[in-house]
Amino acid sequence: MLNRDWLTRLRLRWGVHPLGRKEQGNREGILTLPLPSRLHVPMLQHTGQPAKPRVTVGQRVRKGEMIAARQGNISAPVHAPTSGTVIAIGDYPAPHPSGLPVLTVSIDCDGLEEWVDLDPPSDPFALAPEALAAKVAEAGIVGLGGATFPSAVKMALGLRTQVRTLLVNGSECEPYLSCDDRLMRERAAAIVDGMNLIRHAVGAETILCGIEDNKPEALAAMREAAAPFPHIALRRLPTRYPMGSDRQLIQVLTGREVPSDGRSADVGVLVHNVATCYAVHEALRYGRPLISRIVTVAGGAVRAPRNVEALIGTPARYLVEQCGGLSGESARLVMGGPMMGLELASLDVPVIKGSSGILALDASELPSATPSPCIRCGQCVTACPMNLMPFEMSARIRTGALDEAVGMGLKDCLTCGACSYVCPAHIPLSHYFNYARGELTRRERNTLRQESIRKLVAERSERLERDAREKAEAAARRKAERERAKAEADAARAAKAAAKAAEESSA
Amino acid sequence: MKYAAHAPHAHARASIGRLMLWVMIALTPATLYAFWLYGWPAIFLWAVTVLSAAGAEFFVLRLMQRDAARGLADGTAVLTGWLLALTLPPWAPWWVGVIGSVFAIVVVKQVFGGTGQNLFNPAMAARVMLLISFPVELTTWVGPSPLFGAGALSFVEGARVTFLGQMPLGFDALTSATTLGHVKTELTRGIDVPAALASHGQGLGASLIGLHAGSLGETAAVLLLAGGVLLIALRVIRWHIPVAMLAGVLLPAMLMHAHDPARYLDAGTHLLAGGLILGAFFIASDPATSPGTARGQLLFGFGCGLLVWVIRTWGGYPEAVAFAVLLMNAFTPVIDRYLRPRIYGHPARFARRTRP
């Protein structure tokens, strides 16, 4: 039989092979950081509505206590990562694409690590799937792969659409990052338990877990942990970026494609990250909410790169200091991986639920050249995991023909950056696509606003017309009345005069 | 002010300059070998053509007030001059190279918008312009006379050939037709292909190592092939265009040769006697003027090949790579418009339309 890996490689032509640099941080085990003196916990760490604070300044909170409740359907609560005193509730710098500060609860740690009373279910498998999802929602768990979509919402969706297979994403395709790698190596049994719990919560039959072949130790550990469960299958994936994107993982593991306007549940699967599975295990077995995560601290400017387990709200600076500090001038600070990560303005920002990495890159690791003209080499076309033609789209966007770019599939773009990564002309292709999508949203909003204005104007002129008409009618009515009254008066006068005349004549 | 940097914060370290450099490296062995075969005139002509291409690029960029040094550094202009030089008769006069290069850079490339914007391959368009404008100079071929060999020209004699047009004594004896040209002439005189090949006296073995009359780029088939394979291995070019173009020539050649060997040349001669290998690996594969998708490249390459075979067989010119490539260049926008890959998660392009 032909080698399966070989076939997969041949079938999938998309993707790029960025320099992994994972060995920077994956050699040593996860370091649990000592408690920092102060934590800054943002209220918006997830996709959707920000959480609403339920504490007041000066209030003492215990570790794991809910300090902010979710607002709306797509949202997640936030918990105190340690015990201490709330010293401020206000705007604080946060890792958010807007670069704007976010409402943040700042906590002075008292060092006691005093837990709130935990109430784990005695047997989570005995609970109904809906009850499990509710507990996951209470624990504030969001997708830890980077998308930070509230996990409970996804699980409820899976239950509704009768998902057959749970896909577990252990690909970790971003360069530098090895937080999932270390987690799988060290806590495989807990991850597998979390997988089983999610399977129960979404009513799936089988579990398929994919791990890239640059993580053989993680794969071995997971194989061992999953051995007792016949419904779990582990797959070795070819190392390729962006293997960890939902749509690509589904394509590789199941051979099916998610329809352009659909969700993964439409093809009978649901994708969760390994770190999310671990968080679900912690929540359902021990009742612990999501208050910490594994973060890869790496990059050429970090002295001793490694993976650390950090409390949510820990300043990025503290993580870097605990990893030996910066060895020199860092040319760029990034939260997340280098392919899709967010540039940080400073190390003051806190670690949030979605922070898979804190990178301090030196100048040699960064793209340096200024863009030159496109030579239509087509490397972006080969790299695109969605089969788009990035160079054609960016040419349209440059000239402002956004609708044409949409016709070429702009809305299908994942902004994974594979095209920008390979472009020999150093054109910031994915930047163009992000810009164009923002611009389209703005235009759509504009159109809606203009329509509502037009409607208002039309209503107003109609109202004015009506008013004028009514006024005119009223005036006409009054005039008619006046005339009638006048005519009557005239008639009466005439009658009187006639009577008088008759009287006179008779006299 | 400082702008936020956008992801990705990493790059493959590829650049246009590096791609062009690899193409030049791949061309170097074949070029050096051809220098040795044709001597000083070939070296002078090559140098003049490359320098005038670079000069034209520099001048035009300065005129447009762009960064001329940076424009030159990407290597595209030098490569255009280099490729043009490889398609000229080695003993052609210097002004042929200058006119060709200036035309290629100014008219074919920069007027259309510069690097990456040109519709036609500059070197090939220049060669066709020269062939039409100066048919005598462009069809005067000489047989090889290796450097430092018995019949070789000295440095000064070589300079006289290129720059003064002074042919050395006994030059007429050196002129010689290319294999393809000879066969074409003989066919018009009613002599069939095997007899024509026999009277030309140059076997396939000689062609394989370039011991026949022709341009610099028609000599060392083996070295050019090695360079082309290197480019594919380094992913500077993709295999689709070269393979499809070779198939486009060789498939009809084999079929028709089997059908009537007296009228149709065999595939081996088609492959080795002309500029097919140079054209397939180095010219048709020019990214700016070829389609951007795999399927488009296969179609484009096959079209180039088929046209080469058709023009060589029935057309008025013995060699056809330049014409074929230019004709297919014109189709590139159309191919890119219609042969797009199916986007992930979308139904096949035509499935939607055929659905009732």
Side-chain angles (χ1 to χ4, degrees):
Chain A
M1 203 185 99
L2 276 167
N3 185 336
R4 197 191 186 94
D5 287 359
W6 183 82
L7 265 178
T8 312
R9 261 168 242 261
L10 200 72
R11 194 158 49 85
L12 304 175
R13 284 177 294 245
W14 51 259
V16 293
H17 299 90
L19 207 54
R21 299 190 204 251
K22 288 181 188 275
E23 67 292 342
Q24 275 191 6
N26 72 2
R27 296 226 176 88
E28 289 180 75
I30 299 168
L31 170 80
T32 304
L33 287 187
L35 195 66
S37 59
R38 190 167 287 174
L39 298 173
H40 301 280
V41 188
M43 296 297 103
L44 183 57
Q45 307 183 37
H46 47 260
T47 309
Q49 290 287 102
K52 193 174 183 185
R54 296 207 314 188
V55 290
T56 50
V57 175
Q59 184 181 334
R60 185 180 142 72
V61 291
R62 286 187 293 167
K63 185 173 179 128
E65 189 177 330
M66 189 193 282
I67 54 171
R70 65 183 159 149
Q71 283 191 106
N73 285 331
I74 300 181
S75 183
V78 177
H79 301 78
T82 186
S83 57
T85 313
V86 176
I87 52 156
I89 300 174
D91 283 349
Y92 192 80
H96 189 265
S98 70
L100 297 173
V102 167
L103 185 63
T104 300
V105 173
S106 301
I107 299 173
D108 244 352
C109 312
D110 60 12
L112 300 174
E113 296 268 42
E114 185 192 339
W115 274 93
V116 73
D117 303 323
L118 297 179
D119 175 30
S122 53
D123 181 11
F125 284 106
L127 291 177
E130 291 83 0
L132 281 191
K135 292 225 173 277
V136 168
E138 277 167 32
I141 297 174
V142 299
L144 295 178
T148 64
F149 189 81
S151 299
V153 179
K154 212 163 155 183
M155 284 159 70
L157 179 81
L159 196 62
R160 266 208 310 282
T161 50
Q162 294 183 333
V163 158
R164 291 176 50 85
T165 309
L166 169 68
L167 297 192
V168 177
N169 190 350
S171 57
E172 198 167 51
C173 58
E174 278 264 14
Y176 294 88
L177 301 188
S178 52
C179 51
D180 290 352
D181 182 8
R182 282 313 315 189
L183 188 71
M184 286 189 281
R185 289 196 214 182
E186 297 178 27
R187 304 175 195 177
I191 297 173
V192 169
D193 185 55
M195 281 155 60
N196 282 329
L197 287 166
I198 299 179
R199 168 176 173 258
H200 179 59
V202 300
E205 287 161 26
T206 51
I207 301 176
L208 211 53
C209 175
I211 298 169
E212 280 191 351
D213 56 11
N214 60 355
K215 290 179 271 297
E217 297 93 340
L219 184 64
M222 292 290 287
R223 279 231 162 97
E224 204 190 321
F229 305 103
H231 55 262
I232 301 180
L234 280 127
R235 290 280 161 75
R236 204 169 68 146
L237 303 170
T239 298
R240 185 180 305 198
Y241 181 86
M243 186 62 76
S245 148
D246 280 11
R247 280 162 198 254
Q248 276 54 46
L249 192 77
I250 291 167
Q251 184 188 37
V252 175
L253 285 178
T254 69
R256 306 185 67 175
E257 288 185 10
V258 182
S260 171
D261 47 3
R263 293 195 186 97
S264 47
D266 294 347
V267 291
V269 302
L270 205 61
V271 184
H272 279 286
N273 180 271
V274 284
T276 314
C277 294
Y278 177 75
V280 167
H281 160 84
E282 286 280 297
L284 296 182
R285 291 290 187 188
Y286 306 109
R288 293 178 199 143
L290 179 60
I291 53 169
S292 70
R293 68 156 298 145
I294 319 288
V295 184
T296 304
V297 183
V302 175
R303 255 201 206 97
R306 69 182 300 173
N307 284 286
V308 299
E309 181 159 18
L311 294 178
I312 303 298
T314 310
R317 186 182 311 284
Y318 186 71
L319 270 70
V320 173
E321 277 165 9
Q322 294 293 318
C323 293
L326 296 180
S327 61
E329 186 77 355
S330 158
R332 194 176 294 172
L333 301 166
V334 173
M335 184 166 280
M339 297 298 285
M340 289 188 80
L342 190 70
E343 191 197 14
L344 295 180
S346 83
L347 282 174
D348 295 331
V349 300
V351 164
I352 58 172
K353 292 173 183 174
S355 314
S356 43
I358 304 279
L359 306 180
L361 304 172
D362 64 33
S364 75
E365 294 170 298
L366 290 176
S368 54
T370 42
S372 44
C374 172
I375 55 165
R376 300 170 37 86
C377 65
Q379 295 209 28
C380 51
V381 181
T382 318
C384 181
M386 298 301 282
N387 284 346
L388 304 173
M389 293 181 75
F391 75 92
E392 293 262 24
M393 275 161 37
S394 74
R396 299 300 191 285
I397 294 167
R398 264 175 79 103
T399 57
L402 298 191
D403 295 331
E404 277 181 54
V406 171
M408 304 174 98
L410 176 66
K411 290 189 171 163
D412 290 290
C413 171
L414 308 167
T415 57
C416 69
C419 49
S420 306
Y421 177 81
V422 291
C423 180
H426 297 259
I427 299 169
L429 293 155
S430 52
H431 197 168
Y432 273 113
F433 306 146
N434 251 350
Y435 153 75
R437 292 211 290 208
E439 178 66 18
L440 282 172
T441 315
R442 200 185 61 81
R443 281 189 195 175
E444 249 161 52
R445 219 178 291 138
N446 233 5
T447 317
L448 284 181
R449 205 172 63 203
Q450 268 165 1
E451 248 161 45
S452 70
I453 291 174
R454 199 172 304 128
K455 217 169 116 197
L456 285 177
V457 168
E459 279 172 5
R460 178 169 183 268
S461 61
E462 199 182 304
R463 196 174 60 238
L464 287 180
E465 231 166 67
R466 199 178 55 225
D467 283 357
R469 200 170 55 235
E470 278 170 3
K471 231 179 254 170
E473 275 169 9
R477 216 166 33 239
R478 277 198 301 278
K479 194 175 172 196
E481 247 164 51
R482 261 201 318 277
E483 267 164 18
R484 204 178 57 230
K486 197 173 165 210
E488 273 168 17
D490 283 351
R493 223 177 4 253
K496 223 176 176 181
K500 201 176 176 185
E503 208 175 277
E504 274 171 9
S505 69
S506 66
Chain B
M1 84 169 261
K2 185 177 178 292
Y3 292 94
H6 190 273
H9 311 285
H11 195 267
R13 304 269 174 248
S15 72
I16 295 175
R18 200 171 299 188
L19 290 181
M20 296 303 148
L21 189 66
W22 275 116
V23 178
M24 290 182 215
I25 289 171
L27 277 175
T28 301
T31 309
L32 290 179
Y33 179 72
F35 285 168
W36 174 73
L37 276 184
Y38 291 103
W40 288 110
I43 299 175
F44 293 137
L45 182 66
W46 179 86
V48 163
T49 312
V50 168
L51 284 177
S52 46
E57 175 98 346
F58 187 81
F59 177 75
V60 173
L61 288 178
R62 283 295 292 273
L63 209 62
M64 294 193 290
Q65 297 174 352
R66 298 214 184 136
D67 188 346
R70 195 167 162 241
L72 263 185
D74 72 15
T76 48
V78 170
L79 188 62
T80 294
W82 192 327
L83 286 170
L84 174 63
L86 291 188
T87 65
L88 298 176
W91 286 23
W94 63 274
W95 51 264
V96 166
V98 172
I99 293 176
S101 274
V102 170
F103 179 79
I105 296 297
V106 178
V107 178
V108 188
K109 183 179 167 187
Q110 292 295 352
V111 163
F112 281 82
T115 303
Q117 298 294 311
N118 46 308
L119 186 55
F120 296 101
N121 185 302
M124 289 303 99
R127 184 187 141 75
V128 164
M129 182 277 290
L130 291 171
L131 183 62
I132 293 167
S133 311
F134 312 105
V136 176
E137 284 77 5
L138 262 282
T139 52
T140 305
W141 306 96
V142 296
S145 54
L147 264 182
F148 319 118
L153 301 186
S154 70
F155 183 85
V156 177
E157 282 174 317
R160 282 213 186 102
V161 170
T162 304
F163 297 106
L164 304 173
Q166 293 177 350
M167 290 301 158
L169 290 175
F171 172 71
D172 279 350
L174 289 169
T175 60
S176 153
T178 63
T179 311
L180 293 173
H182 179 74
V183 171
K184 175 134 281 187
T185 318
E186 296 295 84
L187 269 175
T188 57
R189 290 168 48 201
I191 294 165
D192 68 8
V193 170
L197 279 176
S199 68
H200 193 56
Q202 286 170 351
L204 271 186
S207 287
L208 193 65
I209 55 167
L211 290 176
H212 59 176
S215 69
L216 295 181
E218 291 177 344
T219 52
V222 179
L223 294 177
L224 285 170
L225 194 63
V229 171
L230 174 76
L231 291 186
I232 292 175
L234 290 169
R235 299 180 187 228
V236 173
I237 61 170
R238 298 213 286 163
W239 59 268
H240 302 73
I241 291 177
V243 169
M245 183 163 174
L246 294 181
V249 176
L250 300 184
L251 286 181
M254 279 192 286
L255 271 177
M256 296 308 278
H257 181 70
H259 166 67
D260 184 0
R263 172 66 187 86
Y264 299 102
L265 270 171
D266 58 293
T269 308
H270 269 294
L271 182 65
L272 297 174
L276 180 59
I277 293 181
L278 180 75
F281 286 93
F282 294 92
I283 290 169
S285 60
D286 165 30
T289 56
S290 63
T293 64
R295 285 192 301 166
Q297 289 172 353
L298 285 176
L299 178 67
F300 174 88
F302 195 80
C304 285
L306 203 61
L307 281 171
V308 167
W309 183 80
V310 165
I311 298 172
R312 277 183 182 176
T313 306
W314 292 301
Y317 290 91
E319 179 51 300
V321 171
F323 293 106
V325 170
L326 289 182
L327 282 169
M328 289 311 291
N329 284 166
F331 279 104
T332 295
V334 183
I335 294 175
D336 266 345
R337 188 177 173 88
Y338 288 103
L339 276 190
R340 283 195 197 136
R342 182 186 62 83
I343 300 172
Y344 177 108
H346 282 258
R349 204 169 154 77
F350 296 103
R352 226 175 327 194
R353 278 185 217 167
T354 51
R355 206 181 286 160

